[in-house]
Amino acid sequence: HCVGEELKETPEMIEKGLAEFQKAVEEAKNPVYEMACQQNRSYMEDPTLRLQFLRANFYDVGTSVRKMMNLLQYKAKYFGDDAVARDITLDDLNEEEMELILSGLCHIQDGRDRSGRVVLYVFTHMLGRCRADTLIRAAYYVCLHIIVPIPEVQTKGAVVVFYDLSNPGNQFPGPGLNFAMETMQVTTALPIRNSALHFCLKPRKGGAALSDEILRVGVDTISRHERVRTSLYFGSDLELRYHLRGRGIPTDTIPVDEDGNLLEDILNSWFYKHRDERNKNHLPLAEFDELFSKEPLAFSLQSLESEEMVDTGGYHEDQTSEDTETARHATMELDLVNEEELPSSGSVAGVQPKDQDVMLGKGKSYQNHPGNVYFRTFLEQYLDNYDKAPRQNRRPMCANLANTLRAKGVRFIEQQEGSEVWVEC
């Protein structure tokens, strides 16, 4: 019944696997990976990302590293070099790709199969109606940011059902061979272990619903582990339901009725659930503007008329205006988040980062976080006052601004070293 093995992890296994992964990465000397590290090393060395590949391949380090390197190359090809070292978001997808996601191409079944695994449906009638790059970009987002983060997917693998919605006897509107080969190459690099594959097809004259050649390419592309867990079944929609039920898949939440009609009311429920979860921590622009709007300072700065009171902050006339602006900004940020001066609301373990939070750390992932972007804009409003203020007034001024933001719900958070836990400073 295509029951896959559940991964049993230990802390020792994780530590050893990550150490061997790092060693293998260093030995690989992959140019795309090295480019990504220059963009954002912390993102590329994130244990969460690496564990996804290790778990998908039963801690086979060589296979895990090879697949990650392949996926980075595909990511650069389909999303651009500047996207390699960051998460792909819904904003990266164009209108055509969003329409494809919501078109009935795929569906994540509500609930789990008898072994507690996630069940993913791919409806083959859509595969011949879109371009390969559109499918790959849409599938990348769905797999990496919706399916893979599900804990059961990483430990138990996923059940994938390829379901033929065409009527028996009709010509199969399937993809061409080049389309199939291109998309299969990318999907085999994803950090997902297919613990069962079910091809549910309609009988027709001339043999297989999918061409023999495409089926052969598909079977040759998947691993032996997946190949022995693959079933191929022909029948009516009612017969296909019986087949899936016999494989431990609940039929009450299958998104196709006994007549082969898609159940539109539940078809995209999985995506809307993901979008709503994502939007819980996502603020509209107007609310960001309100949070980071300029506020009057709570204390008056000392008189700045005396030239000797003005501190230049170490800037020189030969600096360019751009360098000076960057340095001014950095100095003010450092003063504002200085550990000794920043008023603390207490260390709270396990906080969930939100868009409006200010993340303390280095790298583009921190710089591009929405809260950090608005934070820099917020600071720009006070840079002139900060530059003119005596040094002894600068940190109190910054502490006042920090308290102003905190009162509006903005948090200053940082990730504990060697863990995935975020704490509030």
Side-chain angles (χ1 to χ4, degrees):
H1 292 289
C2 297
V3 176
E5 305 91 341
E6 182 173 356
L7 179 65
K8 302 293 185 182
E9 277 183 331
T10 64
E12 294 76 20
M13 181 189 300
I14 294 175
E15 182 179 2
K16 180 182 177 182
L18 290 173
E20 293 179 354
F21 194 103
Q22 177 61 28
K23 182 180 179 181
V25 165
E26 293 172 355
E27 293 174 351
K29 299 186 182 301
N30 183 285
V32 179
Y33 178 82
E34 292 176 357
M35 175 189 70
C37 284
Q38 292 177 357
Q39 296 177 14
N40 190 349
R41 181 172 293 276
S42 62
Y43 179 88
M44 298 310 304
E45 295 181 351
D46 186 354
T48 302
L49 175 65
R50 297 182 171 192
L51 283 172
Q52 289 175 353
F53 285 92
L54 287 169
R55 288 165 177 161
N57 298 285
F58 287 110
Y59 277 80
D60 182 329
V61 175
T63 301
S64 300
V65 171
R66 175 175 55 80
K67 286 194 172 187
M68 189 178 86
M69 299 306 170
N70 289 342
L71 190 63
L72 288 176
Q73 291 178 332
Y74 293 130
K75 193 175 181 182
K77 176 180 178 180
Y78 293 102
F79 291 97
D81 290 347
D82 60 339
V84 174
R86 66 172 176 85
D87 284 339
I88 301 302
T89 69
L90 287 174
D91 294 332
D92 291 305
L93 303 182
N94 59 37
E95 185 176 348
E96 184 180 1
E97 290 150 3
M98 286 300 302
E99 288 179 357
L100 181 61
I101 290 177
L102 298 173
S103 67
L105 169 68
C106 61
H107 177 79
I108 301 174
Q109 186 168 350
D110 188 28
R112 303 291 184 262
D113 77 344
R114 195 178 300 156
S115 297
R117 298 171 297 184
V118 171
V119 182
L120 171 67
Y121 289 81
V122 178
F123 297 108
T124 57
H125 72 294
M126 291 299 301
L127 296 181
R129 303 179 183 178
C130 62
R131 301 195 316 269
D133 62 328
T134 300
L135 174 62
I136 289 170
R137 285 169 56 91
Y140 182 98
Y141 181 85
V142 172
C143 291
L144 266 293
H145 299 293
I146 301 180
I147 299 174
V148 171
I150 300 173
E152 296 95 328
V153 171
Q154 297 188 40
T155 57
K156 297 172 181 281
V159 176
V160 182
V161 179
F162 290 90
Y163 200 102
D164 178 10
L165 284 174
S166 61
N167 295 321
N170 287 356
Q171 179 69 29
F172 178 74
L177 181 60
N178 291 337
F179 179 102
M181 292 181 67
E182 183 177 0
T183 55
M184 287 175 185
Q185 286 173 351
V186 177
T187 55
T188 55
L190 296 171
I192 298 179
R193 182 174 73 256
N194 296 322
S195 58
L197 289 168
H198 300 288
F199 288 88
C200 296
L201 308 174
K202 303 293 176 59
R204 65 198 67 246
K205 293 180 180 180
L210 290 166
S211 74
D212 292 341
E213 192 172 17
I214 292 177
L215 278 175
R216 178 185 58 78
V217 170
V219 172
D220 287 346
T221 303
I222 63 178
S223 67
R224 181 182 181 279
H225 177 274
E226 296 168 325
R227 199 175 305 148
V228 298
R229 290 164 176 79
T230 298
S231 66
L232 182 64
Y233 196 81
F234 293 89
S236 66
D237 290 289
L238 181 59
E239 290 170 324
L240 294 177
R241 291 171 69 90
Y242 282 129
H243 167 71
L244 294 176
R245 187 176 68 178
R247 296 300 188 269
I249 296 176
T251 56
D252 56 333
T253 53
I254 289 179
V256 182
D257 64 19
E258 296 179 359
D259 298 319
N261 300 309
L262 279 174
L263 301 180
E264 301 288 346
D265 56 331
I266 67 170
L267 184 60
N268 293 317
S269 57
W270 58 275
F271 177 80
Y272 297 132
K273 181 180 179 181
H274 162 75
R275 185 195 60 186
D276 292 343
E277 287 293 326
R278 173 181 174 271
N279 288 343
K280 280 183 180 179
N281 297 327
H282 183 73
L283 289 182
L285 291 178
E287 293 188 32
F288 266 118
D289 291 335
E290 178 64 25
L291 279 174
F292 290 91
S293 60
K294 185 173 181 179
E295 295 286 341
L297 294 174
F299 62 94
S300 60
L301 300 178
Q302 293 183 8
S303 172
L304 305 176
E305 297 299 325
S306 173
E307 184 178 345
E308 62 183 10
M309 291 283 287
V310 180
D311 192 293
T312 64
Y315 307 123
H316 303 284
E317 293 182 0
D318 60 346
Q319 288 179 301
T320 66
S321 59
E322 184 177 354
D323 290 339
T324 302
E325 187 70 16
T326 301
R328 294 167 66 212
H329 220 293
T331 303
M332 188 176 184
E333 287 191 49
L334 285 173
D335 273 352
L336 199 150
V337 300
N338 183 278
E339 290 180 343
E340 296 179 355
E341 298 297 329
L342 185 64
S344 174
S345 60
S347 177
V348 182
V351 299
Q352 178 68 33
K354 298 182 179 181
D355 274 4
Q356 65 263 37
D357 292 336
V358 178
M359 293 182 169
L360 309 189
K362 297 179 180 179
K364 287 189 177 181
S365 62
Y366 293 95
Q367 296 172 13
N368 296 333
H369 180 71
N372 290 45
V373 173
Y374 272 82
F375 176 56
R376 290 195 297 273
T377 303
F378 174 78
L379 292 185
E380 287 174 0
Q381 304 170 95
Y382 301 96
L383 277 175
D384 289 339
N385 284 339
Y386 176 85
D387 280 346
K388 295 175 183 177
R391 184 174 294 279
Q392 66 267 24
N393 278 3
R394 291 182 175 181
R395 286 188 176 175
M397 173 184 176
C398 290
N400 174 261
L401 296 178
N403 284 333
T404 297
L405 293 177
R406 276 211 179 98
K408 294 183 174 185
V410 177
R411 302 177 300 182
F412 296 86
I413 63 174
E414 63 181 348
Q415 200 167 22
Q416 289 185 330
E417 186 175 356
S419 77
E420 300 176 22
V421 177
W422 288 90
V423 296
E424 186 175 358
C425 300

